[in-house]
Amino acid sequence: MHRYIARANVDHYLGILCGTNLTPQHRSTAMALLIAELDKLSDDAEHLGFAESKVASSRDQVTQAASIRDSFAAGTSEREHAERHLVHLERAGPANSDSSLSGFSA
């Protein structure tokens, strides 16, 4: 049962980290809570796979957003909007938090 709750919490904290209105303190708290939940799953390879797939999905979103941004001509409002979205994704997700998640490889 605790693993189910930990997985739900991982999803919840990743959702929070994707939010746009996080202060640096709230982001830090959410990352600490996410890491604590991942720690609970660290004994089970299946659950680690779940966490790694969430991180990989976040990385894929960043890659896709960069591709979309690059498809727009420089200086256009579309590219500026896509750039803002990309920056948001890069700041929000655990995709750039490999150092904090590096101990969680299967």
Side-chain angles (χ1 to χ4, degrees), residues 90-105:
E90 289 173 335
R91 288 182 182 162
N96 292 322
S97 303
D98 290 333
S99 61
S100 61
L101 298 176
S102 61
F104 296 103
S105 59

Side-chain angles (χ1 to χ4, degrees), residues 30-81:
M31 279 301 296
L33 292 169
L34 173 63
I35 290 168
E37 292 303 322
L38 290 171
D39 224 8
K40 292 176 186 176
L41 298 174
S42 66
D43 295 338
D44 190 328
E46 174 190 344
H47 296 288
L48 274 178
F50 161 78
E52 288 175 347
S53 73
K54 291 293 186 177
V55 172
S57 174
S58 182
R59 278 194 202 110
D60 290 345
Q61 288 178 347
V62 169
T63 301
Q64 182 181 20
S67 177
I68 291 169
R69 181 215 44 208
D70 294 343
S71 71
F72 295 115
T76 62
S77 62
E78 291 88 356
R79 185 175 178 111
E80 290 174 13
H81 178 73

